[in-house]
Structure formats: structure tokens, C-alpha cells
Amino acid sequence: MEKWDEQLIARLLPHDEELRKYVEEHRRCDEQLEKFNQRPYLTTDEEIEKRRIQKLKLVGRDKIEAILAQHR
């Protein structure tokens, strides 16, 4: 994400509940993915869960981008 996008998020976060929800969800996804990435081996179920989380993260990012586009 660009520096000015991060600045815009920081400015909007206290006032936009929807944006806050998506940013928090994005951070949770990052944390979960980092745990998966630290493991040397994933089971099939874990691989499926990792992909699901990656998709959730992308959907959240798209929603964050849409909100930011409204405020640019």
C-alpha cells in the first residue's frame, strides 16, 4: 500500500467504522498467514485454510481500496 494510502487510512480510521472493520480483519489475516508461513509443512486442511485466509485478505483489501477511492 502506498504511503499516502496509509496516511489516509490513519486519518479516516477513527471516523469510519466500516474501514476500521476491514483494516482489523486484514491485520488478523496477516497474523494467521504469518503463522502458517513459519511452519515447515502444512497438512492438506491447513493448506486449504491458508488459501481461504488469503482470499479473505484480498477481498478485504479490495473493500479497503473502494473506501479509500471514495475519499480521494
Side-chain angles (χ1 to χ4, degrees):
M1 203 170 282
E2 300 292 330
K3 183 177 181 176
W4 51 82
D5 285 342
E6 291 174 5
Q7 292 171 346
L8 181 57
I9 288 172
R11 197 174 78 234
L12 295 173
L13 214 52
H15 311 289
D16 191 324
E17 183 64 35
E18 183 181 22
L19 177 62
R20 187 176 318 121
K21 177 182 115 180
Y22 291 126
V23 168
E24 288 172 3
E25 181 179 299
H26 193 267
R27 288 180 184 152
R28 278 193 304 273
C29 288
D30 270 343
E31 291 170 4
Q32 290 174 322
L33 289 172
E34 183 59 33
K35 289 178 186 177
F36 281 124
N37 290 335
Q38 290 176 357
R39 299 184 61 192
Y41 175 78
L42 298 177
T43 65
T44 303
D45 289 341
E46 291 169 334
E47 280 289 342
I48 292 169
E49 179 64 9
K50 180 180 175 183
R51 287 190 190 115
R52 185 187 73 78
I53 293 168
Q54 287 171 326
K55 289 177 185 177
L56 280 175
K57 183 179 172 187
L58 287 174
V59 168
R61 180 175 168 208
D62 289 345
K63 291 180 180 180
I64 291 170
E65 288 292 332
I67 293 169
L68 293 180
Q70 292 173 355
H71 293 281
R72 285 188 188 123

